[in-house]
Amino acid sequence: MAELLKIKNLSIGIDGKEILHGLNLEINSGEIHAVMGRNGSGKSTFSNALMGHPAYKISTGEINFNGTLINNLKPNERAKLGLFLGFQYPLSIPGVTVANFLRQANKALKGDAVSPRDFRKLLYEKMDDLEIDHVFATRYINDGFSGGEKKRMEILQMAMLEPKLAILDEPDSGLDIDSLKLVAQSINKYKEKNPSVSVLLITHYQRMLDYIKPDKVHVFVDGNIVESGGPELALELEKKGYDWLTEKEAVKA
Amino acid sequence: MALELNNEYQYGFHDSEENYAFKSGRGLTKEIVLSISKMKNEPQWMTEFRLKSLEIFYKKPMPKWGNTQLISEIDFENIFYYVKSSEKQEKNWEDVPKEIKNTFDRLGIPEAERKFLAGVSAQYESEVVYHSLREDLKKLGVLFLDMDSGLREHPEIVKKYFSTIIPPEDNKFAALNSAVWSGGSFIYVPPNTKVEIPLQAYFRINTENMGQFERTLIIADEGSSVHYIEGCTAPTYSSDSLHSAVVELIALKNAKIRYTTIQNWSKNVYNLVTKRAVAHEGAVVEWLDGNMGSKLTMKYPSIYLVGEKAHGEVVSVALASGSDQHQDAGAKIIHAAPNTTSVIISKSISRNGGRASYRGLLKVLKGAANVKSSVKCDALMLDEKSRSDTYPTMEIDEQGVQIEHEATVSKIEDEKLFYLMSRGLSEEQAKLMIVNGFMEPFVKELPMEYAVELNRLIELEMEGAVG
Amino acid sequence: MKTKEKKKSFELPSDEPKWLFEKRLSALISYEKEPLPNRVSHLWKYSDPSWFEFNSNNGSIVSSEKLKPVFALDNEATEKGVVLIELSDAFRNEKYNDLILKYFSQLTAKCPNKFAYFNEAIWSSGYFLYVPKNVKIEKPITVRLLFNQLSSLEAVRILILLEEGSSLNLIDEMSSPEDSKRLLNTVTEIFLEKESRLSYANLQLHSKQTISHLFQRAEIKNNAELTNVIVALGGKISKADLGTDLCGTHAGVTTYGIVLGDGVQKFDHHTTLEHNAPYTKSDLNFRVALKDTSRSAYTGNLKISHEAVKSDAHQENRNLLLSSDAKAESIPELEILTNDVTRCNHGVTVGQIDKDQVFYLMSRGLSQKEAEQVIIEGFVEPTISRIPEESLREDIMLKIKNKLGVL
């Protein structure tokens, strides 16, 4: 399988403080990777840095996406290459409707302008998949949405914008079990339709992985991957907790 | 250089002034006032009203609010107070003098009329040069005339209402307008008549150092409704022009008036306008006020809620762009009767050294029990050179009230930019999207064509906003 | 020689240093030169300046006896070098000459004000408070200024100086006996040096005949913090002009205002918060409850200068009207000269007492008066509960209850 994302020795800091220390990761086309770790282990720093958040500065290392070095690319340029970030805390943009926003984003990414009618049809289809009421198309982005609605809206955006790599930052946090299933199903559905798409799923609970089967699981501790393995690693973590790895790390050091 | 071109004011062209029918000398004298009145063949009471107003203008000090520095720079001696571009007013675009027609063609007025207006008035300098009203509305008894014709043809209505809401004593610029007014619109909507499609007036200043003083009077009789839209542009000259209108609205029992302004004067125009409305029992008055252009705008549309259950609303946006622009706009609502309600929403954007000020007054008079009002002022500042002021005064003399005021000043948050850019929008597109979203409460109230036009204006103004 | 004659008539202590006497003279000249503020000018729309003027029309005569502030410093404070003495004593004591010269009238000089000039010319009482570097005093110090003499004009001058890293809780309690009629002019200057912290409360409990003008200015340096509590319960007419200059990085001010009016009381409060340095923070919470024909005007001016990037400013003014003859004006003024603000917002509400709440309370056996009392207490509670010192909170609540009890 073709290599899609290759990260070499990546160190990231914010406000002069280093959070990620020399991280390495490779993701091939079509693979699902899960990143697990405690709060504060650097997972969100990692996802923000991958998408090019200006506050996160790369001090060393390389991020290659689909053969392009993207270290210095702006977020929209990364989006154009096929990267997508589903935010842990999606922001609200009052006054801008979901439909308008997605239409403009779609145009920016794909270049061609779909007719408003076709676009609406497509949008409604995807909304139905996610059991999102059509009325949300005319609501302002995330404005007054519940936690679950915001999370589903992120997945809707992914389905509409069709990325090559979807980084989903805790798509499960704050969801009840029904919403969680729905979100997982939509991710799976998108993945089935587009088998070459890769997913980087960031979570700190195993429960999401009951529905989305990862090919690989990585564990974050203190700003680096300390352990990688198959799906069984997630189950082991569920049983033993993170301390087991922290101790292991201490022994190594 | 491309950036400069983008930012150029697109209505900045001007045409030759050689064919003018009449142009007064510079400066303001009793003789000029008399000759305006004489040329218009006005009744004696109006001539006297003008002369009295001139005296008041001479005596009145300059306003002590707003940008007192800038208004003190106005040279009243250097202004042309009356310029007549054409001998007569036309009812067909074809008959409008070619030069003027070209101007309005370039501004897209005839096209707009065909598409979505019930009536159009076009004022060029001091006089209305074109006027039309749909036949069906005429038959219903709706009057839509320029103010001069209104005075000639319906003296009894004009005399009953003219200057009753804004007397010349109100402020120096209202006095000036009262002395030298010319043009503007006169509208009367008979009882229970609903004018569903907007009426539009278009104002154009062409001459350098011109003073435009139109006068508008709208009376909506009991149970009627009307929506009036005005737009304005001027050429870009190196020296300043003055636009000082007086607008009076009277909404009788259960009537509804909506008055929409898209002000886009060039940056050499002082826009000092007095606008006031009276809402009687159950009536609704809405000012939608968009200020994009001018050098200095000082304008605070007011509503006097004098009848029970009357409702007033002022929704405004102001864009102050560049250190040569100050938008000092706001709203004034006086609750003078019980059970009245009001809403003020003000949105301002300042960028590139521009200054946007909100100045407002909310007053609840004694006896006006059970009043509800909400005032919301949001300012968006796009860079560190710009300035935003908010002065929302509230004076409450009655206990049975529920008043809420909120003001925020903010910038475009980096996190929001990142969110939008992560979906593929460029920084410029993302900023524009946030700005458009910010203005949405205003824009969504406009007829579609105007909303599109306004968004386009903002886009033009915002181009090159990144960097 | 008119001014000199006038000066004489004030019968000021003759043992003052000469330079102070000269200063008084020049302030008197400034006072006479400075015209009365025009009613249309900023901050004078709701009060007539002549109310605060010293003239024979309002029967003002100058005190011949000096008012004595009452305070006590405990041993700990004295040992740590805290100074709290009458201001006139500080002027006579050479030990404090340098400090006084450096700080006295520095803040008033920045903002010319007719009534501050007047104060500078004739002040006779007041105090000087000094906290040395790194001295922290936990136990609150209370200064009582009880105006119990018959004289009808008092000019009080207060100078507070906290050196670097010091910390103090201070309460000024100003009161006068119920029937006394007087004109009071107070000027307070507060200097907070780097990293110092002052919690300052001004409790105004004057008689219903007192006319008072308070002019307070504070200068806050890097990382220093002022908590400013102003409680206005008494007086016939009280005008307070409180200004804070956040001139050091990370300087902060938190303001809590409580006004309770009844009868014909008039209150006119202004706060001016100037953010003049990066990362400065201001938070203001001002609550006004009015009965009968009382009225209040509150002007909240907030300025964020071009330099004050990453500033955080929040203002909230709530007004409760308990009678249809009461009047409340709220005049927020926001002047923002940089877009790089962390937060800047402002909110005002004006409302009446909720009749359903009154009914609910009455159905539980409270009289209407008691019900209203409970509601007013509830209205000011959110502000009071945020005041850091418990003893001060209790004291303020007690005074409010006292006032409500006699409403």
Side-chain angles (χ1 to χ4, degrees):
Chain A
M1 277 234 194
E3 195 175 79
L4 185 63
L5 180 74
K6 188 177 168 86
I7 296 169
K8 273 198 295 197
N9 190 30
L10 185 67
S11 296
I12 304 282
I14 181 166
D15 293 333
K17 191 182 163 218
E18 195 176 278
I19 308 279
L20 294 192
H21 321 286
L23 183 131
N24 293 294
L25 180 68
E26 284 169 29
I27 299 179
N28 292 325
S29 287
E31 286 179 351
I32 298 179
H33 286 227
V35 166
M36 304 186 71
R38 282 196 177 120
N39 282 335
S41 60
K43 302 189 307 289
S44 285
T45 298
F46 181 49
S47 65
N48 276 311
L50 278 181
M51 201 66 224
H53 192 297
Y56 296 89
K57 305 272 187 250
I58 298 179
S59 47
T60 65
E62 285 183 2
I63 311 172
N64 280 287
F65 184 72
N66 214 7
T68 309
L69 180 68
I70 63 166
N71 280 27
N72 296 320
L73 294 190
K74 289 186 174 160
N76 54 321
E77 292 164 333
R78 297 183 196 213
K80 259 180 210 161
L81 292 176
L83 266 160
F84 176 90
L85 172 61
F87 283 59
Q88 186 184 358
Y89 304 109
L91 288 106
S92 67
I93 319 280
V96 180
T97 64
V98 169
N100 265 347
F101 162 57
L102 280 176
R103 201 163 121 72
Q104 200 174 335
N106 200 57
K107 194 176 153 194
L109 290 182
K110 297 174 186 169
D112 55 356
V114 191
S115 78
R117 183 173 302 164
D118 290 349
F119 182 80
R120 202 177 310 131
K121 200 170 148 251
L122 186 69
L123 181 61
Y124 285 170
E125 264 172 39
K126 310 268 184 191
M127 288 178 109
D128 291 341
D129 286 351
L130 277 155
E131 294 179 23
I132 296 174
D133 195 308
H134 292 187
V135 79
F136 276 82
T138 55
R139 284 184 59 182
Y140 300 147
I141 305 170
N142 296 325
D143 199 24
F145 289 17
S146 71
E149 286 165 350
K150 283 183 187 171
K151 288 291 158 85
R152 274 190 277 162
M153 203 49 73
E154 292 296 288
I155 303 302
L156 174 70
Q157 293 182 33
M158 176 190 77
M160 289 298 292
L161 302 177
E162 303 182 302
K164 293 189 177 77
L165 171 63
I167 307 154
L168 304 174
D169 193 352
E170 301 201 11
D172 50 343
S173 64
L175 293 190
D176 60 39
I177 193 71
D178 290 337
S179 307
L180 179 92
K181 271 188 203 164
L182 207 59
V183 164
Q185 274 166 17
S186 333
I187 297 170
N188 285 333
K189 194 165 176 186
Y190 178 64
K191 179 79 181 105
E192 271 163 38
K193 277 191 190 166
N194 308 276
S196 67
V197 164
S198 310
V199 176
L200 179 60
L201 187 65
I202 296 171
T203 177
H204 62 257
Y205 295 115
Q206 143 73 21
R207 60 174 192 174
M208 189 73 177
L209 305 181
D210 290 341
Y211 302 98
I212 300 174
K213 289 281 162 240
D215 299 300
K216 281 191 182 145
V217 174
H218 311 278
V219 183
F220 256 61
V221 173
D222 295 337
N224 213 337
I225 294 173
V226 295
E227 190 81 27
S228 294
E232 70 287 350
L233 181 58
L235 294 169
E236 202 169 343
L237 271 177
E238 180 83 350
K239 258 186 269 161
K240 297 188 182 168
Y242 288 101
D243 287 337
W244 151 67
L245 282 167
T246 323
E247 281 154 24
K248 213 168 140 184
E249 190 64 358
V251 173
K252 255 197 254 174
Chain B
M1 281 296 104
L3 204 122
E4 231 167 71
L5 274 175
N6 282 338
N7 279 339
E8 204 176 309
Y9 177 71
Q10 59 173 335
Y11 308 110
F13 58 88
H14 59 91
D15 44 59
S16 109
E17 301 164 20
E18 284 163 21
N19 304 323
Y20 281 169
F22 178 83
K23 189 170 176 179
S24 73
R26 290 176 193 266
L28 183 56
T29 60
K30 194 175 165 185
E31 284 63 42
I32 286 182
V33 171
L34 279 171
S35 70
I36 292 173
S37 188
K38 201 173 166 208
M39 215 170 332
K40 291 175 181 288
N41 227 338
E42 287 177 343
Q44 185 63 25
W45 71 267
M46 185 57 80
T47 314
E48 280 164 13
F49 172 78
R50 286 179 183 274
L51 290 175
K52 182 187 94 182
S53 303
L54 182 67
E55 287 308 309
I56 296 167
F57 168 72
Y58 286 144
K59 280 189 214 137
K60 270 262 171 202
M62 277 290 198
K64 292 200 166 50
W65 60 90
N67 194 322
T68 48
Q69 169 65 30
L70 270 185
I71 51 173
S72 74
E73 289 167 13
I74 297 173
D75 182 1
F76 289 107
E77 293 308 307
N78 194 37
I79 291 171
F80 294 106
Y81 286 87
Y82 182 73
V83 179
K84 190 174 183 179
S85 53
S86 166
E87 277 302 342
K88 57 184 200 314
Q89 190 186 111
E90 304 298 345
K91 294 200 161 42
N92 285 314
W93 272 114
E94 300 318 311
D95 301 330
V96 173
K98 196 168 148 250
E99 299 249 312
I100 299 174
K101 193 159 77 73
N102 283 345
T103 301
F104 284 114
D105 278 342
R106 286 175 78 174
L107 298 168
I109 307 301
E111 197 195 339
E113 181 190 355
R114 271 197 307 278
K115 280 193 187 154
F116 51 82
L117 295 171
V120 165
S121 166
Q123 176 159 351
Y124 195 82
E125 316 295 22
S126 304
E127 293 289 348
V128 173
V129 294
Y130 170 78
H131 210 100
S132 79
L133 177 67
R134 267 182 15 190
E135 282 303 321
D136 56 331
L137 292 175
K138 273 188 206 163
K139 281 188 191 130
L140 289 173
V142 174
L143 304 177
F144 178 34
L145 298 161
D146 68 277
M147 193 63 224
D148 297 280
S149 305
L151 176 60
R152 257 194 321 273
E153 296 170 24
H154 304 278
E156 68 300 336
I157 308 182
V158 173
K159 200 170 177 186
K160 184 173 174 193
Y161 292 107
F162 188 90
S163 187
T164 53
I165 306 181
I166 306 174
E169 292 84 1
D170 193 80
N171 67 74
K172 193 173 179 75
F173 291 93
L176 176 61
N177 175 286
S178 300
V180 298
W181 73 268
S182 179
S185 301
F186 169 70
I187 296 173
Y188 171 78
V189 187
N192 302 317
T193 308
K194 313 258 187 234
V195 183
E196 307 284 355
I197 315 170
L199 303 172
Q200 158 136 32
Y202 203 86
F203 297 93
R204 172 79 180 172
I205 293 178
N206 189 61
T207 303
E208 190 167 11
N209 301 133
M210 167 74 196
Q212 192 176 56
F213 306 96
E214 91 271 9
R215 183 104 195 178
T216 290
L217 175 62
I218 301 178
I219 301 134
D221 215 323
E222 293 191 4
S224 70
S225 75
V226 64
H227 183 190
Y228 177 83
I229 302 180
E230 62 171 357
C232 22
T233 60
T236 309
Y237 285 113
S238 54
S239 62
D240 298 327
S241 290
L242 172 62
H243 173 252
S244 190
V246 165
V247 177
E248 296 174 287
L249 311 184
I250 294 137
L252 296 175
K253 191 175 168 184
N254 296 329
K256 180 177 175 181
I257 302 178
R258 169 175 278 204
Y259 191 108
T260 300
T261 304
I262 308 287
Q263 179 270 106
N264 190 28
W265 294 115
S266 57
K267 281 197 186 164
N268 52 304
V269 175
Y270 280 94
N271 185 42
L272 311 170
V273 174
T274 310
K275 289 183 166 171
R276 195 169 298 161
V278 167
H280 291 269
E281 187 186 336
V284 174
V285 172
E286 297 165 347
W287 294 100
L288 286 182
D289 201 39
N291 291 298
M292 305 289 130
S294 82
K295 171 185 188 161
L296 168 67
T297 285
M298 280 170 56
K299 176 170 51 167
Y300 322 98
S302 7
I303 305 172
Y304 284 69
L305 300 163
V306 299
E308 272 210 48
K309 292 190 177 163
H311 176 74
E313 218 163 305
V314 183
V315 181
S316 64
V317 296
L319 176 63
S321 183
S323 55
D324 52 353
Q325 191 167 52
H326 183 185
Q327 304 283 13
D328 197 292
K332 196 165 144 182
I333 294 184
I334 316 292
H335 288 265
N339 297 309
T340 46
T341 52
S342 64
V343 172
I344 297 174
I345 299 172
S346 157
K347 298 263 176 181
S348 78
I349 296 168
S350 45
R351 66 175 287 262
N352 213 4
R355 178 175 175 195
S357 310
Y358 171 83
R359 200 176 297 280
L361 174 66
L362 180 78
K363 205 175 169 91
V364 180
L365 300 181
K366 191 153 171 47
N370 197 20
V371 158
K372 274 189 190 148
S373 175
S374 116
V375 180
K376 189 156 172 44
C377 308
D378 293 323
L380 185 64
M381 297 174 75
L382 298 190
D383 53 61
E384 73 290 346
K385 289 183 290 185
S386 300
R387 170 170 181 172
S388 161
D389 311 305
T390 313
Y391 308 102
T393 300
M394 275 148 275
E395 302 184 350
I396 316 300
D397 297 357
E398 177 60 52
Q399 65 155 343
V401 294
Q402 198 180 314
I403 310 286
E404 280 178 18
H405 157 74
E406 255 183 84
T408 63
V409 180
S410 57
K411 59 174 173 173
I412 293 183
E413 291 161 51
D414 292 344
E415 292 303 318
K416 286 188 180 172
L417 269 187
F418 175 60
Y419 186 57
L420 295 178
M421 286 175 75
S422 81
R423 301 296 184 253
L425 304 187
S426 69
E427 191 175 345
E428 199 162 326
Q429 285 171 323
K431 277 190 177 166
L432 186 61
M433 185 170 267
I434 291 168
V435 168
N436 279 336
F438 178 76
M439 308 257 276
E440 172 69 7
F442 178 80
V443 175
K444 75 166 189 231
E445 295 296 328
L446 298 177
M448 218 255 284
E449 293 77 8
Y450 292 87
V452 170
E453 173 65 12
L454 190 73
N455 280 336
R456 208 174 56 82
L457 279 177
I458 295 163
E459 194 168 341
L460 271 173
E461 198 56 58
M462 287 284 296
E463 257 174 57
V466 177
Chain C
M1 284 290 100
K2 195 174 150 242
T3 39
K4 269 215 170 135
E5 277 161 30
K6 230 182 192 170
K7 178 73 192 65
K8 252 188 192 165
S9 74
F10 289 129
E11 293 179 36
L12 287 156
S14 50
D15 54 347
E16 277 178 357
K18 190 161 177 289
W19 67 267
L20 180 58
F21 186 77
E22 296 298 327
K23 212 170 167 63
R24 286 180 184 276
L25 264 187
S26 90
L28 191 64
I29 291 165
S30 300
Y31 167 68
E32 292 191 332
K33 262 201 212 146
E34 185 84 18
L36 263 191
N38 191 308
R39 285 300 298 273
V40 300
S41 64
H42 190 227
L43 302 182
W44 286 99
K45 204 175 158 195
Y46 302 99
S47 296
D48 186 337
S50 67
W51 293 336
F52 308 100
E53 209 187 11
F54 170 70
N55 60 37
S56 44
N57 296 341
N58 60 19
S60 320
I61 47 152
V62 180
S63 161
S64 53
E65 287 169 277
K66 202 157 65 74
L67 159 86
K68 281 206 176 287
V70 179
F71 48 77
L73 270 191
D74 63 11
N75 287 341
E76 187 206 352
T78 317
E79 275 161 24
K80 284 181 170 172
V82 175
V83 177
L84 176 55
I85 54 173
E86 280 195 54
L87 188 60
S88 46
D89 292 341
F91 272 97
R92 282 190 212 95
N93 194 329
E94 264 183 35
K95 221 161 84 185
Y96 308 119
N97 266 1
D98 289 351
L99 280 175
I100 298 253
L101 267 173
K102 189 173 164 199
Y103 291 99
F104 181 78
S105 86
Q106 290 310 300
L107 298 183
T108 50
K110 285 182 191 167
C111 26
N113 178 297
K114 187 171 174 79
F115 301 102
Y117 286 136
F118 183 54
N119 180 285
E120 195 157 318
I122 65 143
W123 68 266
S124 60
S125 56
Y127 63 86
F128 170 58
L129 176 79
Y130 176 79
V131 187
K133 198 170 163 177
N134 296 327
V135 168
K136 293 185 167 63
I137 306 291
E138 271 306 310
K139 202 174 152 203
I141 295 174
T142 302
V143 180
R144 287 195 172 80
L145 291 140
L146 177 66
F147 301 86
N148 54 4
Q149 297 154 43
L150 287 171
S151 71
S152 69
L153 174 75
E154 289 289 354
V156 178
R157 187 90 188 189
I158 297 169
L159 178 61
I160 299 167
L161 168 58
L162 268 71
E163 292 282 21
E164 192 178 328
S166 64
S167 152
L168 189 79
N169 302 321
L170 175 68
I171 299 156
D172 268 345
E173 200 177 298
M174 300 190 159
S175 57
S176 43
E178 202 41 51
D179 298 325
S180 62
K181 185 181 168 191
R182 68 186 63 239
L183 177 65
L184 176 69
N185 178 318
T186 309
V187 169
T188 306
E189 288 178 288
I190 300 171
F191 295 86
L192 298 193
E193 292 296 338
K194 281 195 296 189
E195 279 143 36
S196 61
R197 194 198 64 82
L198 174 68
S199 165
Y200 174 66
N202 181 302
L203 312 182
Q204 190 271 91
L205 311 161
H206 285 299
S207 75
K208 292 278 180 70
Q209 303 295 313
T210 302
I211 296 176
S212 130
H213 186 280
L214 167 66
F215 187 82
Q216 178 186 306
R217 285 295 177 271
E219 185 182 270
I220 325 279
K221 298 271 179 66
N222 297 7
N223 296 305
E225 271 177 47
L226 172 66
T227 302
N228 196 177
V229 179
I230 177 142
V231 178
L233 303 179
K236 178 182 169 194
I237 299 166
S238 37
K239 187 172 171 75
D241 182 346
L242 315 171
T244 306
D245 177 7
L246 297 165
C247 58
T249 316
H250 291 287
V253 59
T254 310
T255 310
Y256 303 103
I258 303 271
V259 173
L260 290 192
D262 64 5
V264 294
Q265 285 188 297
K266 280 195 174 70
F267 299 91
D268 186 355
H269 284 84
H270 331 303
T271 55
T272 302
L273 301 175
E274 289 182 60
H275 290 252
N276 286 320
Y279 297 98
T280 42
K281 197 171 177 224
S282 70
D283 189 353
L284 178 139
N285 197 307
F286 209 97
R287 297 206 174 209
V288 180
L290 302 173
K291 279 191 88 161
D292 306 332
T293 56
S294 62
R295 58 181 298 185
S296 152
Y298 168 69
T299 310
N301 187 302
L302 175 69
K303 288 185 179 142
I304 299 187
S305 75
H306 185 64
E307 292 71 32
V309 295
K310 309 268 188 275
S311 287
D312 183 329
H314 174 72
Q315 302 209 343
E316 189 184 304
N317 169 222
R318 298 197 184 280
N319 301 272
L320 181 66
L321 299 178
L322 296 119
S323 98
S324 65
D325 294 318
K327 272 188 186 191
E329 338 278 2
S330 182
I331 310 102
E333 301 172 331
L334 278 64
E335 297 177 356
I336 317 299
L337 276 70
T338 178
N339 76 321
D340 194 5
V341 287
T342 300
R343 176 177 69 153
C344 177
N345 54 31
H346 188 288
V348 173
T349 59
V350 184
Q352 60 184 320
I353 204 154
D354 186 337
K355 296 200 171 64
D356 292 340
Q357 283 180 358
V358 177
F359 172 71
Y360 180 76
L361 292 170
M362 286 174 77
S363 79
R364 297 294 180 264
L366 270 63
S367 71
Q368 171 140 4
K369 198 177 131 184
E370 285 165 337
E372 286 183 4
Q373 195 175 320
V374 168
I375 289 168
I376 296 172
E377 283 172 29
F379 173 72
V380 294
E381 219 295 315
T383 301
I384 293 173
S385 65
R386 289 176 56 196
I387 296 170
E389 299 80 35
E390 199 191 343
S391 60
L392 180 57
R393 281 202 300 270
E394 283 168 3
D395 187 30
I396 290 172
M397 210 56 195
L398 194 70
K399 285 178 169 113
I400 287 171
K401 277 181 197 287
N402 260 340
K403 171 150 184 172
L404 290 174
V406 298
L407 273 180

